[in-house]
Amino acid sequence: MLQTSIWRALTTFSWTINAVSSADCTREGLLATAKSYVDAQTAGKVSGLKLATANFTYQQNNKVSDINKGLLSTAYKIDLSRSTADTVACASYTMWISSSGSKPYVVGTQIRHANNDTATISLIDTVAATTGDLFFNATKTLGYIKTEDWSNINSTGSRPSRELLKKVGDGYLDMWTDSKAADSIPWGTDCERVEGSSYTNPCGKSLPHGGSTKANGNRRYVIDEVIGSVDVLCEFTSLGPWPDSHEIRVIDGKVKYVHTITVMKM
Ligand SMILES: *[C@@H]1O[C@H](CO)[C@@H](O)[C@H](O)[C@H]1NC(C)=O
Ligand SMILES: *[C@@H]1O[C@H](CO)[C@@H](O)[C@H](O)[C@H]1NC(C)=O
Ligand SMILES: *[C@@H]1O[C@H](CO)[C@@H](O)[C@H](O)[C@H]1NC(C)=O
Ligand SMILES: *[C@@H]1O[C@H](CO)[C@@H](O)[C@H](O)[C@H]1NC(C)=O
């Protein structure tokens, strides 16, 4: 009897340790921390975020920098924000727009977590476009993006695979260097492209077919099969060494939305 209960206590103990050390990266955890980022940005207070004490990195427009001197130290009135979650990479992507202040912004931010600990942030990686950047007009961008449907894809059969999303993201960024890349992408017929504030529908229209020898590099991915989206932050080397975000949504195997944020003034 005594032996049995000791054995039980021991197995329960080791099971608990095991459960803690192999905790999953959850969608809920990622989205809760993405929300804390939007709240911190609204307040202009870095102190609202739980940053890793040992190894935290802040990057703005592809440069490692001091978070206390970055965008998060100023309060912005956020008109719209949307977040996606990647439980495999344990990362989230948040897009936000602030159109009303003296300094309008359209921003794409990837947040990464070490050891599946979604409560603690190890990297904030932000691409922030403002007046003077490529096709920049936050009011116009907001007008297009707020009417789009970015709800979860309810039918699991209509969700694209991680592999397809990665392929579409890479195919898009390869169009400037690879003449065949544009035709490798499954364009939807009712698909809209919002590049800065420049609008194209259908989005498979007027695309580059190679021409540059400089590949768009330093690609960082957030892939969300539930929303059906991929966001790639990169250096847009084909046109200039520009910090850039390309976000693409795929529904029923076809591209539905493309958003780009491109910073020219660095
Ligand atoms: C992290 O979470 C993912 C799924 O969310 C899981 O597949 C993976 O095994 C976890 N990694 C560790 C080291 O626990
Ligand atoms: C610190 O963070 C960097 C970048 O996020 C990562 O490459 C490195 O492995 C981390 N180091 C430790 C000791 O966790
Ligand atoms: C931005 O677009 C809006 C709506 O189309 C327009 O009214 C406004 O003048 C534009 N702003 C600038 C700075 O071009
Ligand atoms: C998922 O279902 C909700 C509620 O029925 C609906 O509003 C939404 O448009 C659906 N989303 C997609 C992407 O089909």
Side-chain angles (χ1 to χ4, degrees), residues 18-27 86-90 115-117:
N18 205 29
V20 167
S21 66
S22 66
D24 281 348
C25 176
T26 67
R27 188 169 185 83
D86 182 335
T87 54
V88 176
C90 210
N115 309 314
N116 277 0
D117 174 9

Side-chain angles (χ1 to χ4, degrees), residues 46 98 191 208:
V46 174
S98 178
C191 164

Side-chain angles (χ1 to χ4, degrees), residues 54-57 112 114-115 122-123:
N55 191 18
F56 169 75
T57 305
R112 287 180 196 276
N115 309 314
S122 60
L123 173 69

Side-chain angles (χ1 to χ4, degrees), residues 26-38 82-86 91-94 113 118 152 224 226-227:
T26 67
R27 188 169 185 83
E28 294 68 31
L30 291 169
L31 294 175
T33 299
K35 183 177 181 306
S36 79
Y37 160 75
V38 173
R82 283 200 184 117
S83 298
T84 60
D86 182 335
S92 64
Y93 172 70
T94 297
H113 306 273
T118 56
N152 293 355
D224 183 337
V226 175
I227 297 283

Side-chain angles (χ1 to χ4, degrees), residues 149-155 158 226-227 249 251:
D149 177 6
W150 280 76
S151 58
N152 293 355
I153 301 177
N154 305 302
S155 143
S158 298
V226 175
I227 297 283
R249 184 173 198 206
I251 298 176

Side-chain angles (χ1 to χ4, degrees), residues 69-91:
K69 298 193 175 116
L71 213 51
L72 273 158
S73 61
T74 305
Y76 288 95
K77 182 182 171 290
I78 294 182
D79 302 307
L80 174 77
S81 75
R82 283 200 184 117
S83 298
T84 60
D86 182 335
T87 54
V88 176
C90 210

Side-chain angles (χ1 to χ4, degrees), residues 199-248:
Y199 182 90
T200 308
N201 186 339
C203 54
K205 199 169 75 178
S206 34
L207 296 166
H209 286 82
S212 172
T213 53
K214 288 184 250 162
N216 296 317
N218 191 14
R219 300 179 189 186
R220 293 93 78 192
Y221 304 83
V222 169
I223 298 176
D224 183 337
E225 295 108 307
V226 175
I227 297 283
S229 68
V230 55
D231 175 71
V232 195
L233 298 185
C234 71
E235 181 175 297
F236 212 88
T237 324
S238 294
L239 301 178
W242 297 334
D244 175 272
S245 168
H246 269 67
E247 186 184 32
I248 302 171

